[in-house]
Amino acid sequence: MSEQGQREIWLRFLSGPDIDSLELTRPEIIKAVDDVVASHGRGETVFEPRMHLMPNNGGVGHFNVLRGHVSNLGANGISGVKVVGDFVPNYLQGLPSELAMATLYDPTTGVPLCVMDATLVTEVRTGAMTAVGAKHLARKDSKILGHVGARGTAFSNVTMLDSMFDFDEIRVTSKRPESREAFAEQLRAEISTPVRVVDTAEEAFDNADILVEASRLNEPAPLLRTGVVKPGAFVVPYGTVSAVELDLLDVMDKVVVDDWREAQSGRFGALRPHVDTGRLSPETLYAQLGEIVSGQKPGRENDDERILLWHRGLSILDVAVAHLILTKAEQADTGTMLRYR
């Protein structure tokens, strides 16, 4: 007990190296995300709209603040907050473009449980969401993955998809030749599927079964053109700034989002122009992904459907993956215990 007769409070600090030592596997991360998406579909989560903090820094980057609660994690549920920076020029300083910190709390007392480096959380939860979407919406026999973008969540996108599909080829590209070549080498060191570097998004997406647009544009530009989307394709555009054509949704049989409220909020997002012009609306939206994962609506129903998933990054994914990390850290007695009060 403390001097005031109150119980001492200790929390666990988990650094990046601490988290690396836990050796999280892709299947367990994908399962954690799949489970929490189903929880969202059943109404077992609570989260507030994301907030943007725009420093007076000449436009080099901004912060996202995400807040969420998952009722069926742990004994009492888990609440969490994550702050993540989005600073594209960080590569010039040898830093990740997205650095993040997360805190987890007991929702029945407000006691903080953990502070962790959430940079890996941000990367893997986004890649896992792409994989969960593909699990339910892509053709099972998908053979070609086209991926635009080489930083941030790109590695997780490709490797998690590769763990689920028997691809014949993975094509990658990005704005800078040195970036895409380095990305391909990183992938080849991790996976056995042939990885081919191409010069343009059009080449990456040509005849692809799964198309992922994860570009980092400063101004809108049509990298993913409507005409390249073949019957049966699964499309995932989620760049911060729109890189798709306005008529993309016209060829889609189903348009799915992670959360409709979040899809309508904020200044950024791949389909922001489509929401603003009314092309994406409650009438044109097929489902939230949680409705599909929880079995309330069917996902892919035939091999010819063109299906698009737009996921913006829900805070409940961060909470779920952070809780997975905390649970494994407690089991391994990893991290540093810090006196809170």
Side-chain angles (χ1 to χ4, degrees), residues 38 85 177 294 333:
S294 61
D333 194 23

Side-chain angles (χ1 to χ4, degrees), residues 10 23 38 52 60 67-68 76 80 101 147 179 184 187 226 229 232 269-270 309 319 333:
W10 293 75
E23 298 182 341
H52 300 297
V60 296
R67 304 154 290 167
N76 303 311
M101 182 169 288
H147 192 285
S179 175
L187 290 171
T226 304
V229 182
L309 169 65
V319 173
D333 194 23

